């Protein structure tokens, strides 16, 4: 497992890996993240999905750990989070089965993300997939681009190098007068 990019939990995972001279187990990283988030009692605004392959075998590649902002977790065969997660979950619940091969799994995840994108306006417009296998992590950035921007403005906006904001006041209507 890789470190956390400067976070306290990521640093603890790095120290653990250094002292044991081996890769961290998924459950160890899960415990470090849970402890860190529980200490802040939900005031760290984050929600994570953690997955990986452990030394105990490749059967864990289908397991996901959902880590909520207050540090509680769920262990499920698949997980969705975010504004499009209800549409994603519908695809997983109807089409997921144990023992999927990698290509079918990537296709299923792509279909689920597309469902989230098309059923939620806040879910973006492209599909990124991360495939985790024993000894390798492969990021499929822009695996599928949906709803491309087709409008290109013919206006060219240029700003001088010393452009400054001149107005910081926002006027709101008085709700009591309505």
């Amino acid at each position: 497992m890789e470190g956390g990019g400067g976070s306290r939990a990521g640093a603890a995972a790095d120290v653990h890996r250094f002292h044991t001279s081996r890769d961290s187990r998924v459950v160890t990283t899960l415990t470090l993240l849970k402890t860190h988030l529980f200490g802040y009692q939900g005031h760290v605004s984050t929600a994570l999905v953690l997955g990986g392959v452990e030394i105990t075998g490749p059967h864990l590649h289908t397991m996901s750990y959902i880590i909520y902002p207050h540090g509680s977790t769920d262990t499920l065969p698949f997980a969705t989070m975010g504004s499009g997660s209800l549409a994603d979950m519908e695809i997983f619940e109807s089409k997921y089965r144990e023992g999927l091969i990698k290509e079918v799994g990537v296709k299923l995840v792509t279909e689920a993300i597309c469902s989230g994108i098309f059923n939620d306006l806040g879910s973006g417009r492209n599909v990124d997939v991360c495939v985790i296998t024993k000894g390798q992590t492969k990021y499929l950035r822009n695996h599928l681009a949906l709803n491309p921007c087709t409008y290109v403005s013919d206006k060219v906006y240029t700003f001088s190098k010393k452009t400054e904001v001149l107005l910081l006041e926002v006027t709101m209507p008085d709700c009591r007068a309505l």
Side-chain angles (χ1 to χ4, degrees), residues 2-41:
E2 300 272 337
S7 71
R8 192 178 320 171
D14 290 339
V15 169
H16 182 270
R17 188 170 37 260
F18 176 75
H19 284 297
T20 60
S21 300
R22 60 180 180 218
D23 287 340
S24 300
R25 295 183 61 183
V26 175
V27 70
T28 304
T29 305
L30 174 69
T31 303
L32 291 169
L33 288 168
K34 285 171 56 170
T35 304
H36 179 73
L37 292 173
F38 182 77
Y40 286 96
Q41 292 293 300

Side-chain angles (χ1 to χ4, degrees), residues 22-70:
R22 60 180 180 218
D23 287 340
S24 300
R25 295 183 61 183
V26 175
V27 70
T28 304
T29 305
L30 174 69
T31 303
L32 291 169
L33 288 168
K34 285 171 56 170
T35 304
H36 179 73
L37 292 173
F38 182 77
Y40 286 96
Q41 292 293 300
H43 295 290
V44 175
S45 182
T46 185
L48 307 167
V49 176
L50 174 67
V53 177
E54 287 202 8
I55 60 172
T56 57
H59 63 278
L60 286 176
H61 72 281
T62 60
M63 299 302 285
S64 296
Y65 296 96
I66 300 179
I67 306 165
Y68 297 101
H70 45 76

Side-chain angles (χ1 to χ4, degrees), residues 109-130:
V109 169
T110 301
E111 182 181 351
I113 294 172
C114 288
S115 177
I117 289 171
F118 288 126
N119 289 293
D120 178 68
L121 295 176
S123 289
R125 64 176 186 204
N126 68 309
V127 177
D128 295 336
V129 179
C130 178

Side-chain angles (χ1 to χ4, degrees), residues 146-158:
L146 305 169
N147 305 327
C149 293
T150 57
Y151 174 76
V152 178
S153 176
D154 57 349
K155 297 179 183 179
V156 177
Y157 297 100
T158 57

